[in-house]
Amino acid sequence: MPGFSATEITVFYALFSSVAEEMGVVLRRSAFSPNIKERQDFSCALFDGEGRLLAQAAHIPVHLGALPDTVAEIRRLFELHPGDVIITNDPYRGGTHLPDLTLVKPVFVEGRLAFFLAVRAHHADVGGRYPGSMALSRHIEEEGVLIPPTRLVEAGRFRRDFWEDFLSRVRGREEREGDLRAQLAALERGEKRLLALVSRYGLSELLSRGEELQRYSENYMREVLREIPRGRYYFEDYLDDDGEGGPPVPIRLTLTVEDGRVVLDFRDSAPELETGLNAVRSVTRAAVFYVFLSLAGGLVPPNQGALAPLEVLTRPGTVVDARPPAPVAGGNVETSQRIVDVILGALAQAVPERIPAASCGSMNNVAFGGEDFAYYETIGGGMGGRAGAPGLSGVHTHMTNTLNTPVEALELGYPLVVERYGLRPRSGGGGRFRGGDGLVRRFRFLAPVTVSLLTERRKLSPYGLFGGKPGKRGRNLLFDRNGRKRVLPGKGVFDLKPGEVLEIRTPGGGGYGRRD
């Protein structure tokens, strides 16, 4: 096969990526929920007919790194036909957690299965015991409706029976239906754009370019890894607890750097928990993919080839490789962040000038709702300081890449007033390069609501590096109607009355380097 120039590779990567990017634009503009249309908690990607990731939009790292496993499962389970669309949120088959509903569409060209399109979006409710489907639970069924890979559209025929059954089991039916239809619209637009590329360049040419692009990414990633001194590096960090008063939960990594290859061994991490802080293996792999793509400085096109030099070892039945029916809602959003902290802590020993101190280490998940509505959001925090610059303040870091929900949209759609939203001064760790500050978000509820909190770094601080100080821990506060304050735990479910106030203070980032 002839080689292609770097310019040609760049052009075709942009063409492939533009398909996923345009899918995202359609989804955002068509969605009903603030979580998708405002926060942009979704991801879109393109795969070849063998299920290998070709390109992705710049969306959510924890979604994108896990999607290859989802597509692999669908290829294994189904004999696919033109006009099919598969829906799933099964975390044990390449998913992340139940609110992330994934739709996958095979694209046929002249009778040949040539590509797959995938769109994953976090829905504000998928049923379960509590509004928002993000409470700390002890069984996967309490977290919501689990959908194994299922045909939503079969050979162009919409499966109304499945659709109605699912919508009857969730809160906010109209919003869920609108978001799902937006995902279907995104797939339709992606197929249209992809077939236009086939018409312009020919299928053979596109597939050849895709294969060359993956080889390029693999070779480039191997060169990035060769810049890391060979050796074995160990690091461990902890989740605060299991959400039920237990001890800190260790995540342990032995990272071995060889010639153009890295082995990440998480097998000594804590056993699987009874509560929903377990991460499935796909989430752990996504965290690895994110860190090494970041280490490459955005120069490696993110596709299946870039994953090839990265070997991930996990032990089934641990907090980084959960088995069914273990609950997993928090593994996707909280444990994934700690996995990133552990990988960065190990790499800091090898390439200290390229690794930041710990960022806030939590997505600071807040979900609330009633019988007929539900809302979910994550709240940013402080970024860790790094060599040459302080950490950014009030941003989403690492495995999340969402925006915030504007106050106006939040107050318009739900019975609450946002009384404060701003930076949390002096919450970043000190050092030569300070950690970024966290945020304060204060909600006054105007109707009875059930609130679920899944937050971390409330007991254990984000670490500093090389003499930098740790970031300040987060706090969750509840004020009753008389202004009396109560400190809430990092994880839990709470029934609030009208007039009560919830205040979330998110962690700051760790500092980098000792101050002179």
Side-chain angles (χ1 to χ4, degrees):
M1 181 179 295
F4 300 110
S5 70
T7 299
E8 290 175 307
I9 289 172
T10 301
V11 168
F12 275 85
Y13 173 64
L15 288 172
F16 288 135
S17 298
S18 70
V19 174
E21 294 284 359
E22 189 165 346
M23 289 169 62
V25 171
V26 169
L27 175 56
R28 176 171 57 84
R29 291 184 175 179
S30 305
F32 280 36
S33 70
N35 193 53
I36 296 176
K37 69 181 179 182
E38 301 284 0
R39 293 187 61 248
Q40 300 182 35
D41 194 348
F42 61 79
S43 299
C44 302
L46 167 66
F47 298 78
D48 67 16
E50 299 298 317
R52 297 173 296 188
L53 178 65
L54 273 181
Q56 61 187 38
H59 292 153
I60 313 300
V62 75
H63 291 173
L64 294 164
L67 274 173
D69 292 341
T70 306
V71 175
E73 277 292 299
I74 289 170
R75 291 185 68 245
R76 184 180 68 83
L77 292 171
F78 293 92
E79 181 178 343
L80 296 163
H81 304 285
D84 285 351
V85 175
I86 309 300
I87 183 172
T88 183
N89 66 352
D90 192 335
Y92 315 114
R93 293 179 175 179
T96 46
H97 60 179
L98 298 187
D100 286 342
L101 296 186
T102 304
L103 273 61
V104 176
K105 183 179 181 63
V107 177
F108 288 79
V109 177
E110 297 179 352
R112 174 183 177 181
L113 176 52
F115 302 99
F116 289 90
L117 296 166
V119 55
R120 176 167 286 170
H122 185 116
H123 287 247
D125 189 275
V126 289
R129 186 174 178 183
Y130 298 108
S133 310
M134 283 294 292
L136 195 69
S137 302
R138 295 179 67 89
H139 194 282
I140 191 70
E141 291 179 353
E142 295 180 339
E143 296 183 340
V145 179
L146 191 154
I147 307 170
T150 303
R151 280 188 170 93
L152 175 61
V153 183
E154 186 170 3
R157 183 179 64 84
F158 188 73
R159 286 195 55 202
R160 177 65 61 181
D161 56 338
F162 170 85
W163 185 266
E164 292 296 333
D165 177 67
F166 172 72
L167 292 176
S168 72
R169 301 162 69 187
V170 302
R171 301 168 185 87
R173 175 193 169 107
E174 181 179 351
E175 190 174 87
R176 300 292 77 69
E177 184 171 15
D179 287 346
L180 278 170
R181 290 192 181 280
Q183 287 182 262
L184 287 169
L187 291 175
E188 290 181 12
R189 178 59 63 89
E191 183 177 39
K192 180 178 180 181
R193 288 291 175 255
L194 190 53
L195 293 178
L197 291 180
V198 172
S199 177
R200 180 177 180 183
Y201 295 101
L203 178 61
S204 177
E205 176 79 355
L206 283 183
L207 295 179
S208 294
R209 301 286 186 168
E211 290 182 5
E212 185 71 16
L213 181 61
Q214 293 189 58
R215 282 194 293 273
Y216 175 85
S217 290
E218 178 178 347
N219 292 335
Y220 203 124
M221 180 61 79
R222 292 191 187 280
E223 289 304 313
V224 170
L225 300 182
R226 290 188 177 102
E227 297 174 358
I228 306 173
R230 295 191 195 185
R232 180 171 295 180
Y233 307 95
Y234 177 84
F235 197 82
E236 65 181 59
D237 202 352
Y238 299 82
L239 297 170
D240 286 340
D241 53 33
D242 62 358
E244 295 187 342
V249 180
I251 296 175
R252 302 185 176 101
L253 169 65
T254 299
L255 187 151
T256 303
V257 181
E258 301 172 353
D259 180 25
R261 179 173 176 268
V262 169
V263 179
L264 300 100
D265 189 346
F266 294 95
R267 290 177 292 185
D268 288 335
S269 296
E272 197 173 270
L273 300 172
E274 293 186 355
T275 56
L277 290 167
N278 303 295
V280 294
R281 177 175 164 82
S282 295
V283 167
T284 301
R285 280 167 42 89
V288 170
F289 196 24
Y290 158 75
V291 169
F292 283 91
L293 285 173
S294 299
L295 192 66
L299 299 177
V300 175
N303 57 43
Q304 205 77 26
L307 283 167
L310 308 172
E311 182 178 357
V312 180
L313 303 178
T314 58
R315 179 165 52 89
T318 59
V319 72
V320 297
D321 189 351
R323 301 169 299 182
V328 298
N332 178 60
V333 289
E334 297 303 290
T335 307
S336 67
Q337 297 286 62
R338 199 64 67 254
I339 293 169
V340 169
D341 290 340
V342 168
I343 301 170
L344 292 175
L347 286 171
Q349 302 166 42
V351 282
E353 71 286 353
R354 299 175 64 180
I355 303 300
S359 295
C360 78
S362 177
M363 294 192 196
N364 304 293
N365 304 269
V366 178
F368 61 81
E371 289 186 4
D372 60 349
F373 74 96
Y375 174 74
Y376 166 77
E377 73 173 6
T378 60
I379 305 174
M383 178 190 289
R386 67 270 202 207
L392 300 178
S393 296
V395 293
H396 289 273
T397 55
H398 297 323
M399 297 304 282
T400 178
N401 190 31
T402 60
L403 304 178
N404 62 191
T405 303
V407 170
E408 297 84 354
L410 190 51
E411 292 181 342
L412 181 65
Y414 303 95
L416 59 81
V417 173
V418 178
E419 294 189 336
R420 181 183 175 189
Y421 185 39
L423 294 179
R424 184 186 179 197
R426 297 177 296 281
S427 56
R432 184 177 182 188
F433 302 104
R434 289 189 60 86
D437 287 335
L439 289 166
V440 178
R441 191 136 158 118
R442 184 180 173 100
F443 310 86
R444 181 179 296 275
F445 292 98
L446 306 179
V449 294
T450 298
V451 175
S452 299
L453 298 179
L454 266 179
T455 63
E456 269 288 321
R457 296 296 198 194
R458 268 52 182 177
K459 295 181 178 179
L460 305 173
S461 301
Y463 60 77
L465 281 180
F466 312 116
K469 300 297 184 182
K472 186 175 287 187
R473 293 172 294 177
R475 295 192 84 194
N476 304 329
L477 303 173
L478 176 63
F479 298 86
D480 67 17
R481 285 176 286 192
N482 296 316
R484 289 187 293 264
K485 181 175 71 174
R486 171 187 166 197
V487 179
L488 299 179
K491 308 166 188 73
V493 179
F494 312 93
D495 291 319
L496 273 61
K497 303 180 181 66
E500 292 190 312
V501 173
L502 174 68
E503 181 172 298
I504 306 297
R505 301 178 183 177
T506 70
Y512 184 99
R514 196 180 308 277
R515 296 188 68 176
D516 296 332

